[in-house]
Amino acid sequence: MLFRSVTIYHNPKCSKSRQTLELLGEHGITPIIIEYLKSPPSAEKLKDILKELGFSPRDLMRKKEAEYSECRHPSLSDDELIDFMIKNPILIERPIVLANGKAALGRPPEQVLEILH
C-alpha cells in the first residue's frame, strides 16, 4: 500500500471509530489521530472533507443527536450547517479517515481500506 499519511477523525467512545482505528493498525498503519470533539476541523477543512467524501453537510450529520433538532430546517445553507457542525462537533459522523487525497467514512470500518491504495 502506498500512502503519505493517514489521518482519522476519531471519537474514542464510539465503537465504530475504535474498530476503524484497530483495523488501520492491523494493516500496519499508525494514523494521525484527531479527537474531533476536542479539536473540531475548521470550516475550510470540513469543506475539503465533504468534497473528498462526495457528501453534502447534511449527509455527514448525526441526525439522532439532540443538537440536530436545532438545524433541522431545510432552508439552512451548507455554510450554516458547516458552522453548526463546528460549534457542535458531536453532530459530525465518525470516524472519518483521510489518505491519499481521499476520504472515507468508517461505517463499516472496512470501507476505509478502499482509500489506502
Side-chain angles (χ1 to χ4, degrees), residues 41-52:
S42 66
E44 183 178 317
K45 184 62 181 176
L46 194 50
K47 286 178 184 178
D48 288 345
I49 290 169
L50 288 165
K51 184 177 180 182
E52 291 169 5

Side-chain angles (χ1 to χ4, degrees), residues 5-57:
S5 69
V6 177
T7 300
I8 183 171
Y9 283 85
H10 178 60
N11 178 350
K13 293 181 180 180
C14 171
S15 64
K16 292 292 184 206
S17 197
R18 291 191 310 269
Q19 290 168 8
T20 300
L21 188 57
E22 184 178 325
L23 181 66
L24 291 172
E26 289 169 2
H27 283 82
I29 298 167
T30 304
I32 297 165
I33 300 170
I34 299 173
E35 288 190 32
Y36 71 94
L37 294 176
K38 295 178 183 176
S39 300
S42 66
E44 183 178 317
K45 184 62 181 176
L46 194 50
K47 286 178 184 178
D48 288 345
I49 290 169
L50 288 165
K51 184 177 180 182
E52 291 169 5
L53 287 169
F55 284 11
S56 74

